[in-house]
Amino acid sequence: MPVPVPQQRSVPAAETSHGDLTLLVIEDDPAGTTITVPELSAAAGTRVRIRTARNLTEAARLLTDDVDCILLDLALPLTGGGAGPGTPTADAGTSGTGTADSGSPPEPVSERAGELAALTHVLGIAPQHAVLALTAQDDTELAAEAVRVGAQDYLFRGELDARVLSRAIRYAVERKRADTAQHQLTESRLRAQENARLERGLLPTPLLDGSGLSFAARYRPGRSRALLGGDFYDVVRTPDGTVHAMIGDVCGHGPDEAALGVELRIAWRALTLAGLCGDELLSTLQQVLEHERQSEEIFATLCTVDIAPDGRRAGLCLAGHPAPLLARHGLPARLLPYQDGGPALGLLPRARWPRRQVELGGAWSLMMYTDGLIEGRVGTGGSERLGQDGMVAMVNSRLEQGLAGEELLEAAVAEVRELNGGELTDDVAVLLLGRDPERIRRWGGSAPRSHPASPVVARPLGAQRPPL
C-alpha cells in the first residue's frame, strides 16, 4: 500500500533554507498515488524535498550525492514486480550493513534475511546515505532487525505524520553523520597504530655482542606524531671484532626523507657486514642515494666510525657531517678532526671520502649526533644558534656533574630544547659509545646481554633497541 505521508503546503522561495534535505522514497505504489513530504517546522528552518522510486532499478538512477536520506518500504520486492530486469539479486541467507569499507566483521545470518533483502541491497548501493525502514505497525521484530543490519531508524505506516517523519529524517541524517565520523576516526587510529608499528620496526637494533662497549641513543623526529625522520644511525660489530658506527641526515623532514634514511641505514649495515669500509662504502652508498632519491636536489650527510677490536683507536670518515665529540677519562670533551672530510652524499658524482685514523685511548666516550642538536636557537630572542662550540661547553658541564650514558644524552637533549624555547623543528639523533676497561675486566672481556629496561642508566649491552 502507498506511504500515507501528509501533503505539504507550497513554500515561497524566500522561505527555503540552505539546510534543506532531500529524501528518496522507495515504495511500490501500484495506485500511482502522489507522495509528498511534510515541511519541517519554521523554527527548524529546514524543508524536505522528495524523490520517488517504484523499484530498486529506478532508485539507483535517482540516488545522487545530494540525497540525504532514503525511506525504504521493507515490503518492496527485490526481484519481480516493479524491480525491473537490471536489478541485482541479494543472497537471502546473508544480512549486513552493506558498508563494505567499514572493516566490521559480517553480521550473523538472520532468520528473516529474506524479508530484509531490499534493505540489504539499498545499504550496499548507498553506504554513505542515511536509511529509514518503513514497515507494518505490528511487525516490531522486523523493524528492530532492520536497524540491527544497518538502517538508522524505522517507522510504522499507521503512525506516520508530519512531526514523526520530520524528526525521523533529521535524526537519521545526524546519526549517519556521527557513525561515519566515528568510522573515519577509528580507521585513522588504526592507520596511525599500524604506521607506528611499522616505523618502530624500522628503527635500528644495535649489534654489539662481545664488544665490551656501552651504548646509548636518543632519537626525536621533527615531524609531529612521527617516529621516523630523515636522521638515521646504526651500530654493528663485524666478525673480526671491529665495531662500526654510523649516523646520517637526509635533507628534509617528510616521510620520503624518512624512507630514504631507512634505505641508507639498511644498505650501510649490509655493506658493512659484507666487509666494505671507508671510501669504498661511502661511494656505494652514494649510488644507492642517487637511485632512490626523489629529486637530484636531495643529499645526505654521513659520519662513520670503525673502532678497532682493542677499542683504543678508530677510523673516521665524514661526508659533510659534523665531527663526533670525544671525551677521554679525566679530560674535557673535544671535537675530532674534521678538516679532511668529504662532501655530502649526492652532491658530487665522483667524490672521495678519506679515512682518518684517530686515537681514542683506554677509557673514553664518543658522541655522534646530527645537526638538529646544534642548530637550536639560544640567547635572548633566539637570534643565535647553539653551534658545535656551545654543544661542547654544554656537554663538558654535564660531564663535570658526573653524568654519563643515557643520563648525559637525556640532559643534553633537554637543555637544547630549553635553550631553544620549545621543541626543536629539526630531527635530532644522537648516540653515545663508551669504553670502560674496568667494567670490561669485571665482565671478563665482554659485555653482558641486557634487556632495554631503564632509560636512565647506560650499561654494556648486546642486541638492544634504544628507547625513544
Side-chain angles (χ1 to χ4, degrees), residues 17-29:
S17 168
H18 66 278
D20 289 357
L21 298 174
T22 299
L23 177 70
L24 174 60
V25 178
I26 310 175
E27 190 265 346
D28 188 13
D29 180 14

Side-chain angles (χ1 to χ4, degrees), residues 256 259-260 263-264 267 271 282-299 345-347 349:
D256 291 336
L260 182 57
E263 291 180 271
L264 292 176
L271 294 171
L282 292 178
S283 297
T284 308
L285 275 183
Q286 174 158 279
Q287 294 180 39
V288 174
L289 171 67
E290 291 171 346
H291 287 298
E292 298 296 332
R293 62 186 176 183
Q294 298 293 321
S295 67
E296 294 185 356
E297 289 74 24
I298 300 296
F299 64 90
L345 303 181
L347 292 183

Side-chain angles (χ1 to χ4, degrees), residues 14 100 114 130 135 140 199 238 270 294 359 361 363 388 449:
T135 186
T140 56
E199 292 185 28
T238 49
Q294 298 293 321
E359 294 296 326
Q388 288 180 293
R449 283 185 178 272

Side-chain angles (χ1 to χ4, degrees), residues 34 39 53 112 126 130 172 208 211 214 244 250 341 360 410 436 449:
T34 302
E39 175 197 356
R112 308 190 65 173
L208 287 171
S211 68
S214 61
H244 301 261
V250 177
L360 300 178
E410 190 67 32
D436 184 350
R449 283 185 178 272

Side-chain angles (χ1 to χ4, degrees), residues 12-95:
E15 297 183 26
T16 303
S17 168
H18 66 278
D20 289 357
L21 298 174
T22 299
L23 177 70
L24 174 60
V25 178
I26 310 175
E27 190 265 346
D28 188 13
D29 180 14
T33 305
T34 302
I35 304 175
T36 56
V37 185
E39 175 197 356
L40 297 182
S41 64
T46 304
R47 227 175 22 127
V48 177
R49 294 186 296 266
I50 187 169
R51 296 178 187 174
T52 58
R54 297 281 192 88
N55 52 60
L56 296 177
T57 302
E58 187 177 351
R61 291 197 300 265
L62 297 176
L63 187 61
T64 54
D65 291 340
D66 61 334
V67 172
D68 300 288
C69 185
I70 299 171
L71 178 63
L72 173 67
D73 184 4
L74 295 182
L76 183 74
L78 183 62
T79 58
T87 306
T89 60
D91 183 1
T94 305
S95 66

Side-chain angles (χ1 to χ4, degrees), residues 423-440:
E423 284 296 336
L424 302 167
T425 57
D426 198 3
D427 304 327
V428 175
V430 55
L431 61 90
L432 189 67
L433 289 168
R435 184 177 187 270
D436 184 350
E438 181 62 30
R439 176 173 292 180
I440 295 174

